[in-house]
Amino acid sequence: MRIGEVAAQAGVSVRALRYYEQQDLLHSTRNSGGQRQYLAGAVERVRLIQQLYAVGLPSRTVREVLPFADSREASPELLKLLAAERDRLDRQMTDLQDVRNRLHECLTEAHSHDGTRSSS
């Protein structure tokens, strides 16, 4: 599969794929014309990388997690890292829920005044 096909199917830019290769997150081979060639599983791997980045994991951590996604074997260090990231996400979700609740309270208050401003 060529780089443009992977990018289109995964919903990312070609530039992102090149970056993932620079970060040693994704691998390709070159054909006789020098074009990158990816295995069929590349699209799913890119989607996983995107998900890991979306939750705030840095490249270093993503690089450590990806071998587990491939082999399902985890070292004690990786398990510790995964637990710490899970805990960080739990805290982030709690914070987001708190902000959501505050916004909901603001909306409820605004609607209770029928959208008119008070002078206070």
Side-chain angles (χ1 to χ4, degrees), residues 19-103:
Y19 174 77
Y20 296 159
E21 285 196 49
Q22 285 178 327
Q23 296 299 309
D24 200 30
L25 304 174
L26 184 65
H27 304 284
S28 68
T29 58
R30 301 281 180 143
N31 66 15
S32 59
Q35 296 175 321
R36 287 176 168 88
Q37 295 289 312
Y38 296 91
L39 297 175
V43 172
E44 286 305 313
R45 186 172 192 91
V46 169
R47 288 179 180 154
L48 174 59
I49 292 167
Q50 287 284 292
Q51 289 174 328
L52 295 171
Y53 275 143
V55 298
L57 297 181
S59 295
R60 175 186 46 80
T61 303
V62 173
R63 194 172 22 261
E64 292 180 48
V65 170
L66 288 175
F68 171 74
D70 296 335
S71 70
R72 298 292 186 220
E73 294 179 14
S75 66
E77 295 82 15
L78 179 58
L79 292 174
K80 191 174 187 177
L81 174 66
L82 293 173
E85 288 300 331
R86 180 206 52 213
D87 293 346
R88 182 187 63 79
L89 289 171
D90 285 344
R91 287 188 304 274
Q92 188 176 5
M93 289 183 339
T94 298
D95 291 346
L96 287 170
Q97 187 65 42
D98 290 345
V99 170
R100 186 211 175 275
N101 289 341
R102 287 182 183 185
L103 289 173

